[in-house]
Amino acid sequence: MTGTGDSVNVISFRDVYFGYPGNDDYTLKGVSFDIRAGSTEVILGGSGSGKSTILKLVLGLIKPNSGVIAVEGRDIGPLSEDDLMDVRADIGMVFQEGALFDSLSVSENVGFRLREHEGLPEKEFEERISRLLGFVGLSEFYDRSPSDLSGGQRRRVAVARAMAHHPELILYDEPTTGLDPITGSTICDLIVKLRDLEGVTSVVVTHQLRDAFQVAQSFVMLVDGEIEYHRVDDVELLYGTEFLVLNEGKLVFQGRQRDLFRSDEPYVHKFLEGQIPAFRR
Ligand SMILES: Nc1ncnc2c1ncn2[C@@H]1O[C@H](COP(=O)(O)OP(=O)(O)O)[C@@H](O)[C@H]1O
Ligand SMILES: [Mg+2]
């Protein structure tokens, strides 16, 4: 594929400045990046560095003071609220708390947007929800209440809900925060599965390097109809995942894991050093 500018980028930021009303300083200061279709972009950065703000801008929930944001090739700056709803309809979201409705069953939570927008016949609805729950490994929870589920299971329901309308893009805000490492890794496996089997583009905000590296170093493939997970230690091999590092509203790194490890950028080094003992000099 030769690529024709923005058409292969699902998200583009060009020199984006954004400040919250009432704050003295901009939260984002001239941020530019592109996210390729089918890739997973991990956004790293300390608390308050502007990671969640980037997701809110992608959704058009807030508007930049200057700069251009394009989602699926469309400059979203001039769009009306109705047109923004169309853009959002093509985006799945998974937030930290999972944000499930405890008054609805697991299946109704997963199918929430399908009920609202698509009016599927009941049988088709059930089949679709069953398939989604199978994908996240929770088939037996169809009729249960979210309050019966563990934290990790709730998060997986949130992933199934984000997938329900087949979005091309899924945004995750700290999807493993508050989960133990093993449960967190099941969420990472889902992100990888969506990338490698469904071609979904993902943006994953996290401050857990362990999870970011799990996503970057894993791939899955179907062999005779069975899903096989692979993990490689040689980070040169895989291309599906890229990293963005934000420091105080400025982008200080974009690239693959091997380049992250080789980066001399002081903040990047400090960030790695803080979480990986081997990086301490
Ligand atoms: N609604 C808001 N009003 C004012 N300031 C905000 C608001 N949301 C976030 N901020 C500020 O913007 C900065 C970036 O926030 P955020 O994007 O949430 O950071 P992160 O997700 O990286 O922790 C922080 O300094 C935060 O205090
Ligand atoms: Mg945040």
Side-chain angles (χ1 to χ4, degrees):
M1 192 149 118
T2 49
T4 48
D6 280 351
S7 67
V8 291
N9 291 322
V10 174
I11 300 174
S12 294
F13 274 48
R14 283 292 167 275
D15 208 20
V16 169
Y17 282 78
F18 173 79
Y20 286 99
N23 288 9
D24 295 339
D25 200 6
Y26 287 113
T27 287
L28 297 179
K29 301 164 189 165
V31 168
S32 302
F33 61 86
D34 294 310
I35 299 181
R36 282 178 297 120
S39 68
T40 294
E41 194 79 27
V42 176
I43 304 184
L44 299 169
S47 175
S49 57
K51 304 182 298 297
S52 297
T53 299
I54 287 182
L55 299 187
K56 286 189 249 174
L57 285 163
V58 170
L59 292 167
L61 299 173
I62 51 179
K63 299 223 177 241
N65 298 82
S66 64
V68 176
I69 298 172
V71 179
E72 286 167 359
R74 255 173 125 182
D75 176 357
I76 63 168
L79 297 186
S80 66
E81 190 54 30
D82 270 357
D83 289 335
L84 281 173
M85 296 284 264
D86 289 344
V87 173
R88 284 177 211 139
D90 217 14
I91 302 178
M93 288 161 270
V94 179
F95 294 120
Q96 192 175 321
E97 309 75 27
L100 304 179
F101 302 108
D102 280 339
S103 58
L104 299 177
S105 67
V106 165
S107 54
E108 288 300 330
N109 267 283
V110 173
F112 191 72
R113 286 176 78 173
L114 298 181
R115 285 260 190 257
E116 263 193 332
H117 300 293
E118 301 196 14
L120 291 177
E122 193 56 28
K123 188 159 169 291
E124 225 172 287
F125 177 86
E126 284 171 16
E127 281 171 6
R128 198 130 142 209
I129 303 304
S130 297
R131 234 178 304 129
L132 289 160
L133 285 175
F135 190 89
V136 300
L138 293 175
S139 295
E140 68 278 26
F141 290 91
Y142 191 97
D143 286 319
R144 300 276 284 279
S145 158
S147 56
D148 296 342
L149 306 184
S150 68
Q153 289 168 332
R154 291 174 72 93
R155 215 67 66 83
R156 272 144 68 193
V157 172
V159 174
R161 182 175 58 188
M163 295 166 59
H165 55 295
H166 298 302
E168 289 185 32
L169 170 63
I170 300 187
L171 310 178
Y172 300 84
D173 199 352
E174 310 268 6
T176 62
T177 296
L179 302 179
D180 64 79
I182 293 174
T183 309
S185 86
T186 64
I187 303 296
C188 298
D189 285 345
L190 282 178
I191 294 169
V192 170
K193 219 159 91 169
L194 280 164
R195 181 193 67 208
D196 295 349
L197 300 182
E198 309 283 326
V200 171
T201 310
S202 296
V203 181
V204 184
V205 164
T206 184
H207 59 258
Q208 305 269 19
L209 268 180
R210 181 192 58 228
D211 295 336
F213 293 158
Q214 182 187 336
V215 170
Q217 290 177 244
S218 309
F219 65 97
V220 298
M221 48 192 212
L222 279 178
V223 179
D224 299 330
E226 298 285 322
I227 292 171
E228 281 189 1
Y229 277 91
H230 295 273
R231 174 116 191 204
V232 298
D233 289 323
D234 187 352
V235 294
E236 308 283 324
L237 291 175
L238 300 180
Y239 292 83
T241 302
E242 276 205 349
F243 294 80
L244 292 178
V245 184
L246 268 182
N247 180 25
E248 293 178 358
K250 289 200 175 117
L251 205 58
V252 293
F253 178 85
Q254 179 173 22
R256 288 163 58 195
Q257 184 174 327
R258 57 151 202 203
D259 303 314
L260 188 73
F261 284 168
R262 290 172 185 162
S263 172
D264 285 331
E265 207 287 324
Y267 180 80
V268 171
H269 199 87
K270 204 171 105 212
F271 194 82
L272 294 176
E273 203 176 50
Q275 296 200 39
I276 310 176
F279 268 84
R280 287 178 202 136
R281 304 184 201 181

